[in-house]
Amino acid sequence: MKIFRTPAVAIVSCVLLVSTLSARDGATDATKNNLASTAWLEKNLKNPKVLILDASSAPLYNAAHIPGAVNASPYGYGAFELPLAEMERRFQAFGVSPGKKIVIYDEGGSNVATRLFWDLYYHGYPAADLLILDGGLNKWKKSGLPVATEATPAPAKGTFRVSKLKESERIRLPEVLTATGDPARSALIDALDPGWYYGQIAPFGRSGHIPNGILLPGGDFYNADKTFKSPAEIKKMLDYMGVKPDQEVATYCGGGIAATVPYFALKFLVGYPNVKLYKESELGWIKDDRGLPFWTYESPNLLRDAAWLAGFNSRMLRMYAQVNVSLIDVRSAAAYAEGHIPFA
């Protein structure tokens, strides 16, 4: 007796077979928006097709890391432009090979995991095989999962080759200059903290931010447990700050590391279609020999939307109740002297 399968039955059989293989390989639906949960990673901890990369600094890695994780910190090269052959050598030393699911993490709520993600993606590793551990090591520990202190033995040399860069993920200085003068069509997101943005901190010798930069610190994209906020919450933040999906969005920071947090959140969590990283960030802006401007409270005439400054602290306006908001700093005088909100 012959059994004839209908096309529908054949399709179902194929789907079941693929599902079985996917489950065996660890490629399950537990990963979403390029995020992996701690539960998913625990199940795939010894999966030979999963490579775990710890992007934190060597001291943090040595103190505690996920068993089997390879230390792959971008701190050694983050602000520099290395030759492609050197980047390829580094990736291979980490054990990066085509076909592997790569799970990247840091201490949680930080920015080095997203930077390593960007580096691999920019150098051609497929986004479908790149994951960030949501909540990082912090979430892993809070879940009661094991950690190691002895370094993972060096993995077998990877076979990943850098063949083509994804230049669509990067913005250069001329485009940034254009964006500063066209805020309707462009959005420049500053991922640094307010102290940098407003000029209190000036590590590069100049204080402030790139003109028309929108302050969205990298830390604002995380929950208290170091996991990423939901796409809906992030979208609400972006709407409030006037960052729209139809704009050309560029993210920047001091040296191109912190800026990868909003880059990742906008592109892979929220799905904004045109998001790029200004890798050189403020270092590249300041190095330009034209002396490009910075906006800061120290130079109110260079601050965007500065008209309110003259009136906010005006005694006359306060006298006649035109300004009904006062900022009161209740900290000690010493803490106040170290830094405070303008006009508090």
Side-chain angles (χ1 to χ4, degrees):
M1 178 180 174
K2 293 184 178 180
I3 298 177
F4 296 95
R5 292 188 176 186
T6 64
V9 172
I11 290 171
V12 170
S13 300
C14 290
V15 169
L16 290 175
L17 179 60
V18 170
S19 299
T20 302
L21 290 173
S22 296
R24 189 184 305 150
D25 293 342
T28 70
D29 290 337
T31 57
K32 186 178 181 183
N33 293 341
N34 293 91
L35 291 177
S37 67
T38 52
W40 181 90
L41 184 57
E42 182 190 15
K43 292 177 182 177
N44 288 277
L45 204 55
K46 296 184 178 179
N47 189 331
K49 292 192 175 182
V50 173
L51 174 64
I52 308 171
L53 299 181
D54 186 320
S56 57
S57 65
L60 287 175
Y61 173 83
N62 292 332
H65 56 268
I66 295 173
V70 177
N71 194 203
S73 174
Y75 279 124
Y77 63 84
F80 305 99
E81 194 78 29
L82 295 183
L84 295 187
E86 172 62 16
M87 290 301 297
E88 181 179 277
R89 186 195 68 76
R90 286 174 182 256
F91 293 148
Q92 291 176 351
F94 299 154
V96 176
S97 294
K100 285 197 173 188
K101 285 280 185 188
I102 299 180
V103 181
I104 307 168
Y105 75 93
D106 52 31
E107 59 268 32
S110 187
N111 48 47
V112 283
T114 51
R115 174 54 195 263
L116 184 55
F117 180 103
W118 184 87
D119 281 325
L120 284 162
Y121 183 53
Y122 173 67
H123 286 88
Y125 206 83
D129 289 331
L130 288 173
L131 300 167
I132 287 181
L133 180 63
D134 200 15
L137 188 62
N138 178 75
K139 182 75 171 179
W140 181 267
K141 287 179 176 178
K142 291 291 177 63
S143 301
L145 297 171
V147 296
T149 55
E150 293 185 3
T152 301
K157 182 180 177 181
T159 57
F160 173 66
R161 302 295 300 270
V162 179
S163 58
K164 188 178 181 181
L165 299 175
K166 289 184 181 292
E167 287 296 338
S168 60
E169 304 309 308
R170 187 172 177 181
I171 188 171
R172 307 281 181 163
L173 180 58
E175 297 171 276
V176 176
L177 276 169
T178 300
T180 62
D182 191 5
R185 289 191 297 181
S186 305
L188 293 173
I189 293 180
D190 188 320
L192 295 170
D193 293 333
W196 289 61
Y197 184 84
Y198 290 117
Q200 178 185 354
I201 301 171
F204 307 133
R206 295 182 64 192
S207 57
H209 57 272
I210 295 175
N212 278 318
I214 299 169
L215 178 61
L216 271 171
D220 287 0
F221 291 88
Y222 293 105
N223 296 307
D225 65 354
K226 313 297 185 184
T227 58
F228 276 96
K229 290 181 177 177
S230 70
E233 289 175 296
I234 295 172
K235 184 64 167 60
K236 213 176 268 189
M237 287 166 48
L238 298 173
D239 288 343
Y240 181 79
M241 299 303 292
V243 181
K244 304 171 185 175
D246 60 352
Q247 288 177 308
E248 294 183 356
V249 180
T251 66
Y252 76 91
C253 55
I257 295 180
T260 57
V261 175
Y263 165 87
F264 176 82
L266 269 67
K267 186 175 184 70
F268 293 97
L269 301 186
V270 181
Y272 273 33
N274 193 4
V275 184
K276 299 180 181 182
L277 175 72
Y278 181 29
K279 184 181 175 183
E280 295 82 1
S281 288
E282 289 185 353
L283 277 172
W285 184 267
I286 290 171
K287 275 170 54 179
D288 191 90
D289 57 14
R290 289 169 290 182
L292 300 175
F294 258 20
W295 284 355
T296 170
Y297 274 114
E298 292 182 359
S299 303
N301 59 308
L302 298 179
L303 180 70
R304 71 182 179 96
D305 303 328
W308 65 274
L309 277 173
F312 188 83
N313 205 37
S314 167
R315 291 183 180 180
M316 182 175 291
L317 287 179
R318 289 182 178 280
M319 185 184 301
Y320 291 103
Q322 296 300 308
V323 176
N324 54 14
V325 176
S326 294
L327 300 178
I328 309 299
D329 191 322
V330 298
R331 299 173 304 151
S332 68
Y336 178 86
E338 289 180 1
H340 54 271
I341 296 173
F343 305 116

